C-alpha cells in the first residue's frame, strides 16, 4: 500500500505537488485558526453569561421574596439587562419552588427542575454558575446555565437561569460563515499559488526545450541568462557552462573525426598511384618479364623512387594533421632574416641555375614564432618558386619589418598563377598545372602545409601577381 502510494506520488508533477501541499497547509492553518476563534468566542460568551447571572442573583438575594413579583411587575426593581428568555426562581430551604418569574417570551417553555437545590446544596455551589440539561415538551434537550445563591431576608435561595441555545446558535452560525469563508480562501489561495508556481517554474520549460534541442544535435543552444543570485539564475548559469563543455567536447570529437577522415582520404587518394606502380613492377618481376639485368635494376630503382615518394607523402600528411590540431607550436623570439638567408643558401645549392636573393626593408625582423615551422614555410615557398622560375632568373625574398606585422614576400618571374586559381593552390593535392608530372609539380601538399603553419601563427598567406609576370607569395606574421 505504501509502495503504491509513493509510486503514485512520484508520478504527480512538481507543480501539482507544491500546490497541493501549500493549499493543504493553508487549509490546516485556517481550520486551526477557526477552531481557536470558536473556542475563544465560546469562552467569551459564557463569561458574559456568567457575569450577567451572578450580578442578577446578587441583586435579587437582598430583596424580600414576598414583594419580588410585585416589584418586577410594576417595574420598581431595575434588574440587569437579562436576555428575553431568562427564568428566575425563589426556592425554600428544601428546594421547593416558592416563586417563578418567566420572561415575556418564555410562555409554555420547559423550565429546570430545582427539587435537588436545597439550601445546603446551594451553599456548596459557592455561587459558581453551572450547566444543566432540561428535556422540553417536544422531547428535545435544552441546556441551561444557572447560578444559585442563598437569600439574605429568608431561609431559601434565588436561582437565575438562562438557556445557552442562543450562544450555541451564535457559535454554529459563526462556524458556518467561517467554513464558507475558509473554503473561499482555500480556493482563492490555491488558484493564486498555482499561478505563482506556474510562473516560477516556467524557466524549467526553457530548460526542457533546450535539452530537447541539444538532444536533436543543436549543441549551440543556450539558456537565457538571468541576472541576480536566484535559484533559476544559478541553474541556468551552471547548465550553460555544462553545455559549453559539451559543445567543446563534441566539436573536438568532430574535428578529430574530420581530421582522421581527411587523412585517410588524402592518403588513399595520393598513395594509390605509387602503390599501383610498385605492384606493377613486382608482378612483372614475379612473372619473369624482367629478364635483363638492366630491366631489373630499372624496376628496383622505380620501386625505390615510389617508396621514397610515398614516405614523403605520409610525412607531409602527418605534418598537416599535427598542424590541424594547433597548440603544438614551440614559440620563441626568432630573427626571420637569418632563416631567410639559410633557406636561400640551401636553395642555391639545390638549384644553381636560379639566383636567390634576400632583400630587407626596416631593421626589426624578429617575431614570436616556431622557427622550424616558419623555416619549413620559407623552404616550401622558395622551392616552389625555383621549380617554376626560368633558368638564369632570380627568386627574391623580401622582408618588410617596418610595422607590427612582419611581411615576407617570395617573388619569382615564372608563368604566374591565374587569378581564379590563386586561392585553390593552397588546397591539398591541388596543382595549378595538371600537365606537369609529379616530379616537376610536387605532391601538391607544400602550399597546404605552409598555409596550416601560417594560420597556426595567427598569420595570413596569399598569392598575387608579380609585376612584369610571375607569382608572389606573401606571408604576414604578427611580431608578438
Amino acid at each position: 500500500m505504501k509502495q503504491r502510494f509513493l509510486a503514485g506520488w512520484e508520478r504527480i508533477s512538481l507543480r501539482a505537488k507544491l500546490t497541493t501541499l501549500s493549499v493543504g497547509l493553508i487549509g490546516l492553518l485556517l481550520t486551526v485558526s477557526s477552531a481557536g476563534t470558536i473556542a475563544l468566542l465560546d469562552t467569551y460568551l459564557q463569561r458574559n453569561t456568567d457575569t450577567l447571572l451572578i450580578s442578577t442573583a446578587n441583586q435579587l438575594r437582598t430583596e424580600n421574596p414576598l414583594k419580588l413579583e410585585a416589584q418586577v411587575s410594576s417595574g420598581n426593581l431595575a434588574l440587569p439587562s437579562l436576555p428575553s428568555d431568562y427564568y428566575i426562581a425563589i426556592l425554600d430551604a428544601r428546594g421547593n419552588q416558592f416563586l417563578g418569574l418567566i420572561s415575556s417570551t418564555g410562555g409554555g417553555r420547559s423550565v429546570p427542575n430545582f427539587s435537588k437545590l436545597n439550601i445546603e446544596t446551594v451553599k456548596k455551589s459557592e455561587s459558581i454558575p453551572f450547566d444543566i440539561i432540561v428535556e422540553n415538551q417536544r422531547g428535545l434537550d435544552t441546556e441551561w446555565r444557572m447560578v444559585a445563591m442563598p437569600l439574605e431576608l429568608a431561609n431559601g435561595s434565588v436561582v437565575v437561569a438562562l438557556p445557552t441555545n442562543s450562544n450555541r446558535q451564535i457559535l454554529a452560525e459563526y462556524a458556518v460563515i467561517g467554513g464558507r469563508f475558509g473554503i473561499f480562501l482555500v480556493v482563492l489561495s490555491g488558484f493564486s499559488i498555482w499561478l505563482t508556481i506556474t510562473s516560477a517554474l516556467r524557466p524549467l520549460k526553457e530548460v526542457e526545450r533546450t535539452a530537447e534541442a541539444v538532444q536533436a544535435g543543436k549543441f549551440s543552444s543556450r539558456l537565457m541568462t538571468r541576472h541576480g543570485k536566484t535559484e533559476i539564475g544559478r541553474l541556468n548559469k551552471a547548465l550553460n557552462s555544462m553545455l559549453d563543455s559539451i559543445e567543446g567536447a563534441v566539436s573536438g570529437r568532430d574535428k578529430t573525426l574530420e581530421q582522421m577522415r581527411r587523412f585517410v582520404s588524402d592518403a588513399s587518394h595520393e598513395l594509390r598511384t605509387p602503390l599501383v606502380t610498385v605492384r606493377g613492377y613486382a608482378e612483372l618481376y614475379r612473372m619473369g618479364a624482367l629478364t635483363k639485368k638492366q630491366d631489373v635494376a630499372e624496376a628496383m630503382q622505380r620501386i625505390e623512387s615510389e617508396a621514397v615518394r610515398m614516405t614523403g607523402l605520409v610525412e607531409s600528411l602527418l605534418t598537416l594533421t599535427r598542424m590541424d590540431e594547433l597548440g603544438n607550436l614551440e614559440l620563441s623570439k626568432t630573427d626571420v632574416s637569418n632563416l631567410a638567408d639559410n633557406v636561400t643558401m640551401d636553395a642555391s645549392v639545390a638549384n644553381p641555375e636560379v639566383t636567390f636573393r634576400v632583400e630587407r626593408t626596416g631593421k626589426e625582423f624578429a617575431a614570436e614564432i616556431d622557427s622550424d615551422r616558419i623555416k619549413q614555410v620559407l623552404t616550401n615557398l622558395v622551392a616552389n618558386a625555383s621549380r617554376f622560375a626560368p633558368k638564369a632568373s632570380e627568386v627574391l625574398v623580401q622582408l618588410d619589418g617596418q610595422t607590427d606585422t612582419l611581411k615576407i614576400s617570395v617573388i619569382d618571374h615564372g608563368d604566374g598563377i591565374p587569378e581564379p586559381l590563386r586561392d585553390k593552390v593552397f588546397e591539398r593535392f591541388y596543382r595549378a598545372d595538371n600537365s606537369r608530372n609529379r616530379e616537376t609539380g610536387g605532391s601538391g601538399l607544400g602550399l597546404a602545409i605552409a598555409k596550416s603553419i601560417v594560420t597556426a601563427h595567427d598569420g595570413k598567406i596569399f598569392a598575387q601577381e608579380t609585376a612584369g609576370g610571375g607569382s608572389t607569395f606573401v606571408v604576414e606574421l604578427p611580431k608578438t
Side-chain angles (χ1 to χ4, degrees):
M1 183 66 179
K2 182 179 179 181
Q3 295 296 331
R4 286 200 299 270
F5 173 77
L6 293 177
W9 179 254
E10 289 297 328
R11 287 193 292 269
I12 300 176
S13 66
L14 178 61
R15 177 173 56 186
K17 288 179 181 177
L18 293 176
T19 303
T20 301
L21 291 175
S22 300
V23 171
L25 180 60
I26 292 174
L28 177 62
L29 293 177
L30 285 175
T31 302
V32 172
S33 176
S34 298
T37 303
I38 291 175
L40 289 175
L41 180 59
D42 185 24
T43 303
Y44 172 76
L45 292 175
Q46 181 172 303
R47 185 183 296 116
N48 285 348
T49 300
D50 290 348
T51 302
L52 187 59
L53 291 173
I54 291 172
S55 62
T56 303
N58 278 328
Q59 185 176 354
L60 293 175
R61 68 192 294 263
T62 60
E63 300 290 334
N64 187 346
L66 299 176
K67 301 179 180 179
L68 184 60
E69 185 175 8
Q71 289 177 329
V72 172
S73 299
S74 62
N76 293 330
L77 182 60
L79 296 175
S81 300
L82 288 170
S84 59
D85 52 357
Y86 68 85
Y87 183 78
I88 299 174
I90 302 298
L91 307 179
D92 60 16
R94 296 179 180 180
N96 298 319
Q97 184 170 312
F98 171 74
L99 175 66
L101 300 178
I102 304 175
S103 66
S104 59
T105 62
R109 183 182 56 189
S110 299
V111 296
N113 183 6
F114 305 118
S115 59
K116 296 182 179 180
L117 287 178
N118 53 43
I119 191 64
E120 288 78 10
T121 303
V122 171
K123 290 179 179 179
K124 289 180 180 179
S125 67
E126 297 178 351
S127 302
I128 298 175
F130 56 90
D131 294 323
I132 64 171
I133 298 177
V134 177
E135 184 177 343
N136 58 25
Q137 297 174 353
R138 291 176 292 179
L140 300 176
D141 294 337
T142 303
E143 187 175 348
W144 290 74
R145 187 75 173 172
M146 64 177 60
V147 65
M149 293 183 181
L151 293 171
E152 292 183 358
L153 301 179
N155 187 19
S157 58
V158 59
V159 178
V160 182
L162 287 173
T164 59
N165 293 344
S166 58
N167 290 352
R168 295 290 175 260
Q169 186 176 1
I170 292 174
L171 293 175
E173 291 178 356
Y174 178 84
V176 171
I177 295 173
R180 292 175 179 175
F181 187 65
I183 292 174
F184 171 75
L185 287 180
V186 168
V187 173
L188 180 62
S189 61
F191 182 69
S192 302
I193 291 172
W194 183 83
L195 290 179
T196 302
I197 293 176
T198 299
S199 176
L201 296 181
R202 188 172 293 118
L204 296 182
K205 288 289 186 181
E206 181 187 356
V207 174
E208 182 181 357
R209 289 193 296 268
T210 303
E212 291 175 351
V214 173
Q215 184 181 9
K218 299 178 181 179
F219 297 102
S220 60
S221 301
R222 292 294 183 276
L223 295 168
M224 183 184 300
T225 302
R226 299 181 182 273
H227 300 285
K229 296 182 179 180
T230 61
E231 292 80 359
I232 296 297
R234 294 196 298 269
L235 175 63
N236 285 8
K237 183 177 179 181
L239 289 177
N240 283 336
S241 299
M242 181 187 69
L243 291 175
D244 289 339
S245 301
I246 292 175
E247 184 181 17
V250 171
S251 298
R253 183 204 65 179
D254 292 343
K255 186 175 181 181
T256 301
L257 291 176
E258 178 61 26
Q259 290 172 358
M260 291 177 62
R261 283 194 293 267
R262 177 179 290 187
F263 179 83
V264 172
S265 176
D266 292 345
S268 61
H269 168 78
E270 194 64 19
L271 295 177
R272 185 181 297 112
T273 301
L275 286 174
V276 169
T277 302
V278 172
R279 179 179 178 180
Y281 280 112
E283 288 182 351
L284 288 175
Y285 180 79
R286 179 176 57 80
M287 295 169 59
L290 302 177
T291 55
K292 298 180 180 181
K293 185 177 181 180
Q294 181 179 357
D295 294 338
V296 173
E298 184 178 351
M300 293 300 104
Q301 182 182 1
R302 291 296 301 152
I303 290 175
E304 181 182 6
S305 175
E306 292 300 316
V308 170
R309 192 160 71 86
M310 284 190 291
T311 301
L313 282 171
V314 172
E315 290 178 353
S316 297
L317 288 171
L318 289 175
T319 299
L320 279 174
T321 302
R322 286 193 294 269
M323 292 311 302
D324 286 341
E325 295 174 0
L326 302 180
N328 59 348
L329 298 177
E330 297 180 2
L331 301 178
S332 61
K333 198 74 170 179
T334 305
D335 189 352
V336 180
S337 176
N338 293 334
L339 292 180
D341 287 337
N342 294 334
V343 169
T344 54
M345 185 181 300
D346 295 340
S348 63
V349 173
N351 192 352
E353 297 179 349
V354 177
T355 303
F356 298 89
R357 182 167 62 91
V358 178
E359 183 179 277
R360 299 169 176 82
T361 302
K363 297 181 179 180
E364 182 60 43
F365 304 105
E368 285 285 339
I369 60 172
D370 187 325
S371 58
D372 292 336
R373 299 295 188 187
I374 296 301
K375 183 177 180 180
Q376 186 177 3
V377 171
L378 294 178
T379 300
N380 284 339
L381 294 179
V382 171
N384 194 60
S386 64
R387 186 179 296 116
F388 300 112
K391 293 182 180 180
S393 65
E394 181 183 69
V395 172
L396 177 62
V397 179
Q398 287 185 342
L399 301 176
D400 186 352
Q402 301 181 91
T403 62
D404 293 337
T405 299
L406 179 61
K407 183 177 180 181
I408 308 170
S409 301
V410 179
I411 305 169
D412 68 66
H413 298 282
D415 296 334
I417 302 173
E419 185 175 357
L421 305 179
R422 290 174 189 167
D423 291 332
K424 292 186 177 182
V425 295
F426 295 100
E427 297 178 1
R428 301 184 184 196
F429 301 112
Y430 181 84
R431 298 179 181 82
D433 185 359
N434 288 327
S435 64
R436 299 177 183 270
N437 60 33
R438 295 186 182 273
E439 293 296 333
T440 304
S443 65
L445 291 173
L447 293 180
I449 293 174
K451 183 176 181 179
S452 296
I453 294 174
V454 172
T455 301
H457 282 80
D458 296 326
K460 295 188 296 184
I461 182 171
F462 54 90
Q464 60 186 22
E465 185 180 2
T466 302
S471 299
T472 299
F473 286 85
V474 181
V475 176
E476 295 181 352
L477 297 173
K479 290 184 177 179
T480 58

